[in-house]
């Protein structure tokens, strides 16, 4: 496996702290990783004008200490209006024709990710998702109309992307990913297609998408089109470690304790309680309650001890009812 680049995004606030934990987990659990860890930092200009986006000095020092390269970029198209667009525009800082994998910063590396058998010429993305988009209205358009219109719009044939083990009126029949991780062989081409599709759909959704919410789902609505257009698709069994024993996309601390493995929780706590990292979270109320105060293990985990698979909406409802859901 040739070295590849890992790309994450960080800016002032929660993302910078999460990026530090990601970088620390990479060095702890994949010590032989020989590729680059690039942290894309949006500058406080362009679409982020008026927002303090620069990574603070303490987080910056820790990131570089863990071997990360911090590379700034100017967001031109999304920025504060759609922060998820950072992952789309950040691809522009990577060199062309060199394999990459993008991870959301709220991810842990749990094992030697350099041993995963990536097939970079067949792009793919995370299947850790629910049927969040689209939401067809009662009288149409239906799933087939919505996805069919999108594929046709960009000159793509939908036939090779569908999963016939699911009925055409079921969301899993259609290619749909969580954009928490995705990879490809050429970040320049991947990024160009991602950006062109996202901007096009945002600026002119068209009649079929008129009743669909694109915030925060724009990136996940167009990501399948990008991956399909590059000859990719659903991840194969060689990638089972992602969202498994190699990586964990925990998203929020409450969800980490409610939904993720003991190994993921132990990794997070071992890293986050290092004095130099814990100091970054002094004003983070969720961290102080769930990690330092121990409520993650003593209060959240017992609520989900039976291991029943639950939709995230149900998990959040249980946490809110127990007054254990906090803004982060």
């Amino acid at each position: 496996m040739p070295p590849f680049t890992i790309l994450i995004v960080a800016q002032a606030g929660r993302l910078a702290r999460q990026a530090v934990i990601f970088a620390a987990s990479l060095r702890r659990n994949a010590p032989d990783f020989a590729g680059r860890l690039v942290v894309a930092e949006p500058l406080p200009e362009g679409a982020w004008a008026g927002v303090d986006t620069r990574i603070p000095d303490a987080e910056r020092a820790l990131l570089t200490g863990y071997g990360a390269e911090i590379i700034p970029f100017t967001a031109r198209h999304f920025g504060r209006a759609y922060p998820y667009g950072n992952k789309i525009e950040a691809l522009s800082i990577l060199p062309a024709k060199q394999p990459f994998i993008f991870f959301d910063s709220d991810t842990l590396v749990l094992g030697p990710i350099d041993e995963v058998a990536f097939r970079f010429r067949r792009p793919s993305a995370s299947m850790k998702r629910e049927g969040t988009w689209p939401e067809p209205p009662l009288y149409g358009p239906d799933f087939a109309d919505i996805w069919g219109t999108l594929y046709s719009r960009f000159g793509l044939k939908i036939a090779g992307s569908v999963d016939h083990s699911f009925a055409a009126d079921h969301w899993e029949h259609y290619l749909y990913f969580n954009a928490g991780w995705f990879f490809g062989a050429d970040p320049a081409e991947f990024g160009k297609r991602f950006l062109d599709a996202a901007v096009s759909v945002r600026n002119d959704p068209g009649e079929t998408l008129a009743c669909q919410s694109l915030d925060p789902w724009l990136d996940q609505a167009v990501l399948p089109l990008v991956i399909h257009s590059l000859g990719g698709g659903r991840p194969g069994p060689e990638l089972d470690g992602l969202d498994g024993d190699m990586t964990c996309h925990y998203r929020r601390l409450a969800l980490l304790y409610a939904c993720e493995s003991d190994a993921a929780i132990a990794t997070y706590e071992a890293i986050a309680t290092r004095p130099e990292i814990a100091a970054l979270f002094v004003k983070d109320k969720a961290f102080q309650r769930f990690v330092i105060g121990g409520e993650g293990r003593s209060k959240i985990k017992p609520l989900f001890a039976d291991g029943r698979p639950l939709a995230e909406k149900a998990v959040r409802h249980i946490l809110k009812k127990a007054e254990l859901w906090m803004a982060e």
Side-chain angles (χ1 to χ4, degrees):
M1 176 70 65
F4 55 90
T5 296
I6 293 175
L7 175 68
I8 63 174
V9 174
Q11 62 188 74
R14 178 170 52 91
L15 291 186
R17 297 191 293 272
Q18 290 173 341
V20 169
I21 291 177
F22 178 96
S25 71
L26 175 67
R27 297 310 170 196
R28 178 182 189 264
N29 294 322
D32 296 325
F33 175 69
R36 300 169 67 199
L37 171 58
V38 173
V39 178
E41 177 189 33
L43 293 171
E45 59 189 32
W48 280 106
V51 180
D52 181 13
T53 57
R54 299 307 299 263
I55 298 171
D57 290 344
E59 284 90 330
R60 188 179 297 272
L62 286 168
L63 285 168
T64 55
Y66 288 125
E69 304 171 46
I70 301 174
I71 302 180
F73 73 98
T74 299
R76 303 291 184 189
H77 302 278
F78 299 107
R80 66 193 304 173
Y82 184 67
Y84 298 96
N86 274 345
K87 67 182 66 178
I88 302 173
E89 298 197 67
L91 289 166
S92 65
I93 68 176
L94 298 183
K97 298 181 180 179
Q98 293 188 16
F100 77 95
I101 180 165
F102 169 87
F103 285 103
D104 276 346
S105 61
D106 48 1
T107 299
L108 296 167
V109 177
L110 303 177
I113 193 172
D114 45 307
E115 295 180 6
V116 175
F118 291 105
R119 295 165 57 195
F120 287 103
R121 294 193 178 279
R122 186 186 180 278
S124 195
S126 173
M127 296 286 278
K128 187 178 181 178
R129 79 283 190 256
E130 297 176 355
T132 49
W133 194 94
E135 294 185 324
L138 181 60
Y139 299 106
D142 60 13
F143 283 111
D145 293 329
I146 293 168
W147 282 116
T149 297
L150 277 173
Y151 278 77
S152 296
R153 176 175 183 155
F154 296 100
L156 301 171
K157 294 182 179 180
I158 194 172
S161 71
V162 298
D163 183 347
H164 290 288
S165 64
F166 296 95
D169 60 354
H170 188 277
W171 68 270
E172 288 179 277
H173 180 79
Y174 304 92
L175 197 62
Y176 187 56
F177 301 107
N178 183 320
W181 62 260
F182 53 84
F183 67 82
D186 184 348
E189 183 60 28
F190 196 111
K192 180 180 185 304
R193 296 190 189 198
F194 207 174
L195 180 62
D196 289 349
V199 170
S200 174
V201 170
R202 179 198 64 184
N203 291 351
D204 182 19
E207 183 178 348
T208 307
L209 297 185
C211 60
Q212 297 298 319
S213 173
L214 291 170
D215 189 356
W217 310 115
L218 177 62
D219 61 333
Q220 295 190 176
V222 299
L223 181 58
L225 310 176
V226 177
I227 287 176
H228 182 63
S229 74
L230 291 168
R234 295 167 182 81
E238 72 279 2
L239 300 177
D240 285 350
L242 302 179
D243 299 320
D245 57 5
M246 286 291 181
T247 66
C248 170
H249 184 199
Y250 60 91
R251 294 170 297 152
R252 287 174 177 254
L253 269 181
L255 294 177
L256 171 67
Y257 286 98
C259 305
E260 304 302 343
S261 68
D262 290 343
I265 293 170
T267 294
Y268 185 93
E269 290 179 342
I271 291 170
T273 55
R274 295 175 185 174
E276 67 276 16
I277 295 180
L280 305 176
F281 290 86
V282 169
K283 296 182 180 180
D284 188 311
K285 294 181 180 179
F287 184 89
Q288 294 303 316
R289 278 189 65 181
F290 301 151
V291 180
I292 303 302
E295 291 187 32
R297 288 185 177 272
S298 67
K299 293 186 176 182
I300 296 179
K301 275 185 67 65
L303 292 175
F304 304 93
D306 59 8
R308 286 180 302 150
L310 295 172
E312 184 176 318
K313 184 177 181 179
V315 173
R316 292 187 183 218
H317 175 75
I318 293 169
L319 291 168
K320 289 176 181 178
K321 187 176 180 180
E323 298 184 349
L324 291 166
W325 183 258
M326 299 181 66
E328 296 180 36

